[in-house]
Amino acid sequence: FEGFVRDKYTILPETRERMLATEVTATWIYSFESLSSIPSKPLQFTERYLDVKKVLVDTFFGPPKEGVYSPSVQRTLYQMAEAILARFPDVSSIQLKMPNIHFLPVNLSTKDNLIVKFEDDVYLPTDEPHGSIEASLSRIRSKI
């Protein structure tokens, strides 16, 4: 929402006050060297899924009372992937897809054409084109 690369197609102004709305799709790859190195513990992968999901959610939202500021969907996506690689050494790479879904603040007018400004608490979802934001992060493992 701020500090991004601008070009002739950029139409949105920079702002610190824009709603971050997205949906998250995450896939990851484990770094098991062989079949025998795969854990045999029952529900191992179900537990790991829930653990990964918790880290993604906690990183996205931040602490419950304060939240976390994000300058862009791209930055949040990177922080989420980085947190997974830092927390789970058996995950060798993660891919995240987080489309930037737009909700715009609404200004309402009265019959007298006076603008009624809601303090950015009324938003309208748009069907205009939005960014398809994706990234993959991988750890580099030394063979030495």
Side-chain angles (χ1 to χ4, degrees):
F1 309 122
E2 63 180 355
F4 53 85
V5 176
R6 301 185 71 82
D7 62 19
K8 65 182 181 179
Y9 303 107
T10 305
I11 59 172
L12 292 173
E14 291 192 28
T15 180
R16 289 184 59 87
E17 297 296 328
R18 186 171 291 140
M19 180 185 295
L20 192 155
T22 190
E23 55 190 37
V24 178
T25 302
T27 57
W28 56 92
I29 297 173
Y30 295 100
S31 58
F32 302 121
E33 297 292 326
S34 66
L35 285 176
S36 62
S37 66
I38 296 174
S40 59
K41 176 183 170 191
L43 302 177
Q44 164 71 26
F45 294 103
T46 300
E47 290 173 9
R48 179 49 46 90
Y49 165 79
L50 294 172
D51 292 342
V52 166
K53 182 178 175 183
K54 180 172 180 2
V55 170
L56 291 172
V57 167
D58 290 350
T59 305
F60 183 89
F61 289 107
K65 293 196 186 261
E66 301 89 41
V68 63
Y69 173 72
S70 173
S72 66
V73 174
Q74 293 87 339
R75 178 66 181 146
T76 298
L77 180 147
Y78 181 81
Q79 289 172 328
M80 292 166 68
E82 193 175 47
I84 295 301
L85 294 179
R87 171 71 174 81
F88 304 106
D90 60 342
V91 172
S92 61
S93 68
I94 183 165
Q95 179 182 25
L96 292 171
K97 297 177 184 179
M98 295 172 54
N100 190 6
I101 301 170
H102 295 251
F103 284 77
L104 303 175
V106 174
N107 289 323
L108 302 176
S109 299
T110 67
K111 65 179 180 175
D112 298 323
N113 246 359
L114 300 173
I115 292 183
V116 176
K117 174 82 166 108
F118 292 94
E119 296 299 317
D120 291 337
D121 60 353
V122 177
Y123 290 87
L124 176 68
T126 65
D127 60 355
E128 64 189 27
H130 60 272
S132 179
I133 300 159
E134 302 179 25
S136 296
L137 266 67
S138 300
R139 72 175 78 250
I140 299 172
R141 293 206 182 255
S142 173
K143 299 272 183 188
I144 298 177

